[in-house]
Amino acid sequence: MTRSSESFSAERLLAEFDEVNAAMAAANTWMASLELRRHQLADLLDTATRPTTTQLVAVAPKMVHRGVLFRGDLRRMWNFIDIHLFVLRGLRAAVPERRASMAAAMSCRGTARSYVAEDRQRLFLGKPDGWVRRHSVELSEGWYADTNLSVERMRVLLPVAVRAAGWRWGDDVRVFWRPTPLN
């Protein structure tokens, strides 16, 4: 081999070496930019797929201290007898054809008195007229109700009246006798 052919080869090798170095430098720059983009994408994906932490806030349930839920309509009331009379009046207005069956069903729960009657005197047999008027009210169109009742007696009578009206106690009519969370 002659010197000129060696130099040609050396020049060629040197040129190829420079090309490889330049390609490697470009590849390193490209790899650095790809590495940077990969880190950016990883951060974005981490943020996008991170489970959200929902902070649970305790919400106090709505309380009903006393009242009636009558076919979806909530009425707050202070007195137990007001609850009793509201339900009876509501049933009588909603299902007038069942008034007699409601009165009969309620009277089956008593011993010597009717709780609802068409005549005030039939509410309390043998009691003086003044006493009868003091302890009864007109429900509707000539029907009267006994108001001399304990809460325990009302708790027995109202479900009976609701079922006699053909409705569901606890669904169509729900009574809150004491503070109760409304769900």
Side-chain angles (χ1 to χ4, degrees):
M1 227 189 216
T2 64
R3 188 139 174 84
S4 67
S5 69
E6 283 180 14
S7 68
F8 177 73
S9 276
E11 285 176 19
R12 195 170 179 184
L13 289 174
L14 192 56
E16 188 179 343
F17 182 79
D18 288 341
E19 285 175 13
V20 168
N21 273 342
M24 285 181 69
N28 285 338
T29 303
W30 179 244
M31 285 298 291
S33 69
L34 288 176
E35 192 72 30
L36 177 65
R37 183 62 182 155
R38 184 177 77 171
H39 285 296
Q40 290 172 342
L41 288 172
D43 289 341
L44 290 171
L45 283 169
D46 186 48
T47 302
T49 59
R50 182 178 300 135
T52 58
T53 55
T54 305
Q55 211 172 25
L56 298 177
V57 178
V59 177
K62 187 176 180 182
M63 293 292 290
V64 177
H65 292 281
R66 255 188 222 137
V68 178
L69 187 61
F70 193 88
R71 287 260 166 129
D73 182 27
L74 178 64
R75 296 286 177 102
R76 289 179 167 81
M77 296 177 188
W78 183 252
N79 296 319
F80 295 123
I81 196 65
D82 290 342
I83 293 171
H84 180 73
L85 295 173
F86 176 81
V87 171
L88 292 179
R89 285 182 175 127
L91 290 172
R92 294 180 161 296
V95 200
E97 67 278 2
R98 297 233 171 163
R99 289 177 180 176
S101 61
M102 285 186 273
M106 290 173 68
S107 69
C108 289
R109 299 292 185 198
T111 53
R113 67 194 217 204
S114 300
Y115 297 104
V116 175
E118 289 181 280
D119 179 18
R120 268 195 166 139
Q121 291 302 323
R122 287 183 32 207
L123 289 174
F124 308 101
L125 298 175
K127 294 288 184 181
D129 190 49
W131 195 92
V132 170
R133 288 197 178 282
R134 215 174 20 257
H135 296 289
S136 64
V137 295
E138 185 174 13
L139 277 179
S140 61
E141 305 152 13
W143 283 88
Y144 299 90
D146 178 353
T147 59
N148 189 30
L149 302 169
S150 67
V151 177
E152 291 78 24
R153 180 56 42 190
M154 288 182 241
R155 286 183 184 189
V156 169
L157 294 174
L158 285 181
V160 168
V162 168
R163 283 190 290 275
W167 290 10
R168 292 177 315 249
W169 179 254
D171 290 332
D172 296 319
V173 178
R174 184 174 173 197
V175 173
F176 304 98
W177 301 104
R178 62 182 184 282
T180 307
L182 187 62
N183 27 348

